[in-house]
Amino acid sequence: MKLTTYTDFGLRAMMYLATLPKGELTSVAHVSNLYDVSRNHMVKVVNQLAREGYIHAVRGKNGGIRLARPPEEINVGQVIRALEHNLKGIDCGSPACHLVPACRLRDALGLAMEAFLRVMESYTLADLVGNRDELMVIFERLEPGSRKALAQP
């Protein structure tokens, strides 16, 4: 199963936020720069995560984003369900498929997707960042202007 880049960016943003000290804010621009992705695309993802209650966005001069709840309470499978737009595994209408009346592939892929999501629902965000120290080393290297980032081959 391949996730869309939209969901990928959402999960990566949340993983970064989960490594920050409790209550610390960061900006969407910072997260975008960290992962070298479009700020506009990340804004859309973060806005949806905020609407879904996973991210808390603070507006204003000293604003920013942070997790809305502890990583232990954020179910990865539920995040994927919230962000993915096609959980059927296949789009039978684009282009229109002539096999639809007799096709069993759609059902098989639907079952496979459900199995994938059930596995992902056994993970929390805390599980994904359980190696926080390793992640922090990587994030430090990715920080814009970091000497370590410049020294890496």
Side-chain angles (χ1 to χ4, degrees):
M1 300 290 133
K2 183 172 178 4
L3 299 175
T4 60
T5 55
Y6 187 85
T7 301
D8 178 28
F9 293 164
L11 291 171
R12 286 199 266 165
M14 290 180 64
M15 287 176 69
Y16 176 70
L17 295 175
T19 65
L20 297 176
K22 186 176 179 165
E24 184 175 312
L25 295 170
T26 190
S27 68
V28 174
H30 182 79
V31 176
S32 299
N33 287 335
L34 198 65
Y35 289 119
D36 194 27
V37 300
S38 159
R39 182 185 178 284
N40 289 337
H41 198 64
M42 188 63 78
V43 164
K44 292 175 189 173
V45 174
V46 166
N47 282 338
Q48 181 172 354
L49 288 169
R51 283 191 309 273
E52 299 287 343
Y54 295 112
I55 289 179
H56 179 68
V58 179
R59 295 191 181 272
K61 183 179 176 186
N62 295 317
I65 58 172
R66 62 177 164 77
L67 290 179
R69 43 189 154 154
E72 301 81 24
E73 296 177 14
I74 297 176
N75 183 287
V76 176
Q78 290 173 0
V79 173
I80 292 170
R81 286 182 191 274
L83 296 179
E84 279 295 310
H85 300 293
N86 179 10
L87 292 173
K88 295 176 183 156
I90 194 168
D91 182 3
C92 300
S94 180
C97 179
H98 301 290
L99 302 178
V100 169
C103 184
R104 292 184 178 173
L105 176 62
R106 175 183 48 207
D107 294 338
L109 288 174
L111 289 171
M113 182 62 81
E114 271 305 312
F116 166 75
L117 290 167
R118 277 194 306 275
V119 168
M120 295 311 295
E121 285 174 343
S122 71
Y123 290 90
T124 67
L125 185 57
D127 295 325
L128 300 186
V129 296
N131 60 339
R132 184 181 186 279
D133 293 340
E134 292 175 79
L135 292 170
M136 292 306 297
V137 169
I138 294 167
F139 289 139
E140 189 176 303
R141 284 189 199 133
L142 295 174
E143 291 290 336
S146 167
R147 283 191 226 152
K148 290 182 181 182
L150 299 174
Q152 295 300 314

